[in-house]
Amino acid sequence: MTPTGPFTSAFKGRRVLVTGANGFLGSHLAETLLACGAAVRVLVRRPLALPASLAKKVEVIEGDIRNADAVDRAVQGCSHVFHIAALYRDSSAPKQAYWDINVAGTENVLNACEHHRVERLIHCST
């Protein structure tokens, strides 16, 4: 099924970054953006964990949102950024990991978007 409406036209021909594309929401969003005609770039810690069908269609940047340089490289040249990456539901993770990923990682994304003058940042969080 090909998406229709304003969502389609907003991203056609645009380079769009999706953080957290290994997850359920991020991978489906990347597929939808591809169907809309976007050039999709993903920032993921584990490229081999991407669904094989998605990995063949997107530009993969290996990195972690906790690393400002990796985030900066991923954001460069993108008109839109969907920030989906987050740590949740992992009760075994130390409290500091939640802060480092969900707060400091988001700050890295915000800073890179500002630095590269990204047209729009869309942040999604559970």
Side-chain angles (χ1 to χ4, degrees):
M1 178 179 190
T2 302
T4 59
F7 190 81
T8 303
S9 60
F11 301 106
K12 188 172 186 167
R14 304 307 254 323
R15 178 166 308 286
V16 178
L17 172 68
V18 177
T19 69
N22 278 341
F24 178 80
L25 180 61
S27 63
H28 286 282
L29 174 60
E31 290 283 3
T32 300
L33 289 164
L34 286 165
C36 291
V40 177
R41 178 183 291 169
V42 299
L43 174 64
V44 293
R45 289 181 298 128
R46 296 178 320 276
L48 295 177
L50 274 172
S53 61
L54 184 59
K56 294 175 184 176
K57 300 177 199 171
V58 300
E59 178 185 357
V60 178
I61 305 292
E62 183 174 0
D64 191 305
I65 62 169
R66 293 173 288 188
N67 181 311
D69 292 334
V71 174
D72 194 70
R73 280 193 320 274
V75 170
Q76 185 176 11
C78 293
S79 64
H80 293 74
V81 173
F82 284 87
H83 178 41
I84 312 296
L87 179 61
Y88 69 102
R89 292 193 204 154
D90 188 354
S91 61
S92 64
K95 288 181 182 181
Q96 188 63 45
Y98 286 93
W99 179 270
D100 292 345
I101 294 168
N102 297 336
V103 177
T106 298
E107 287 176 343
N108 288 337
V109 173
L110 290 166
N111 290 335
C113 287
E114 182 177 41
H115 176 250
H116 291 289
R117 304 178 72 103
V118 167
E119 187 176 323
R120 180 140 313 159
L121 165 66
I122 299 93
H123 179 247
C124 298
S125 176
T126 52

